[in-house]
Amino acid sequence: MSTGDRLGVREDLVDANRILVRHGILDAFGHVSVRDPDDPSRFLISRNLAPGLVTPDDIQVIGLDGTTADDRPSYLERFIHGEIYRARADVQAVVHSHSASMVPFSISRTPLQAVWHMAGFLGEAVPVFEIRDSVGSSSDLLIRSGSLGADLAATLGGAAVALMRGHGFVAVGDSIPQAVARAVYADLNARAQVTAGQLDGYTALTAEEGAAAAESNNGQLTRAWEIWRANARRGESV
């Protein structure tokens, strides 16, 4: 990979941070990463910093075990990213968010389902990671180790999104634009599902409808990514 290409990946990662902040997916916390295109056993992610402040110079290169030669502080939950990349060769980007729209589905008996064609990738029920099954009932709910990251990755399985009980969610994709779009539309789908539930119920997509909608939307991701990135770089709203 050329120096220009490597810089391009870092710039895309910076743009992803800004886009996700502007959509309310990230705030002072949460993070987004991309697998190192030169070495699939590493990933790129910001140093421990509020997402809206990230620049290309803040990007660290981290191994799947969470180690780095960069002596600046790293995110405590970098193990989320490393273990998902380890478990899923198809995943090239990961978003972790504490979205208040998604958390209710992580603590409720109502499953998060695809109710909107833009979130067809959610399928019929989003898996929920229960950290108590791994470390008992006295943790701070953070993914602070490789073993916890591996347990989360196991819950995610082959899905696009997994909820984390009382914590937030992860969204994955085969590119930065896909992971970002999935995080944005999962959040919006959660809001729509809650709103419909306050009316007289809702009709969820079938598994087949979700798969078909996801396939169609994947072909249009560039349109969303380009306008979101342009707005973020101009400092405009979503």
Side-chain angles (χ1 to χ4, degrees):
M1 170 172 283
S2 70
T3 301
D5 289 338
R6 188 184 300 277
L7 179 59
V9 171
R10 290 174 179 257
E11 289 178 342
D12 284 347
L13 192 53
V14 170
D15 288 332
N17 275 277
R18 293 175 180 170
I19 290 166
L20 290 165
V21 169
R22 290 184 177 278
H23 280 87
I25 308 303
L26 305 181
D27 50 18
F29 299 96
H31 20 83
V32 54
S33 69
V34 62
R35 194 188 291 269
D36 188 337
D38 279 348
D39 183 350
S41 69
R42 306 185 305 183
F43 62 95
L44 278 61
I45 192 169
S46 171
R47 65 184 175 91
N48 196 328
L49 186 67
L53 302 178
V54 174
T55 72
D57 290 339
D58 295 309
I59 304 303
Q60 296 182 322
V61 179
I62 298 183
L64 300 190
D65 62 357
T67 61
T68 179
D70 191 322
D71 60 5
R72 296 174 295 179
S74 301
Y75 288 124
L76 296 176
E77 294 192 291
R78 59 193 181 277
F79 304 101
I80 290 173
H81 304 262
E83 295 302 325
I84 289 175
Y85 289 128
R86 191 193 304 277
R88 294 272 300 272
D90 60 307
V91 170
Q92 301 301 314
V94 177
V95 176
H96 171 51
S97 164
H98 301 156
S99 161
S101 300
M102 297 283 277
V103 168
F105 289 99
S106 78
I107 58 176
S108 167
R109 289 187 295 273
T110 300
L112 178 62
Q113 300 174 283
V115 298
W116 183 26
H117 79 288
M118 292 304 295
F121 56 83
L122 291 176
E124 294 182 294
V126 173
V128 180
F129 174 66
E130 174 52 85
I131 197 169
R132 290 176 185 168
D133 293 340
S134 299
V135 292
S137 59
S138 59
S139 79
D140 61 5
L141 279 70
L142 300 184
I143 306 301
R144 291 176 171 271
S145 68
S147 61
L148 278 175
D151 289 347
L152 171 60
T155 296
L156 175 67
V161 172
L163 293 162
M164 303 163 71
R165 194 267 305 161
H167 185 162
F169 75 98
V170 292
V172 302
D174 62 13
S175 65
I176 291 176
Q178 186 183 64
V180 167
R182 284 176 167 176
V184 169
Y185 286 115
D187 182 84
L188 292 172
N189 184 95
R191 299 185 205 181
Q193 187 175 342
V194 168
T195 299
Q198 294 171 342
L199 300 174
D200 59 352
Y202 55 85
T203 300
L205 276 62
T206 65
E208 294 78 13
E209 287 173 332
E215 183 177 358
S216 294
N217 291 332
N218 282 338
Q220 302 296 317
L221 287 179
T222 300
R223 185 163 67 181
W225 173 255
E226 288 180 348
I227 187 60
W228 290 345
R229 178 173 60 185
N231 286 344
R233 288 182 174 182
R234 289 195 296 260
E236 296 180 1
S237 65
V238 297

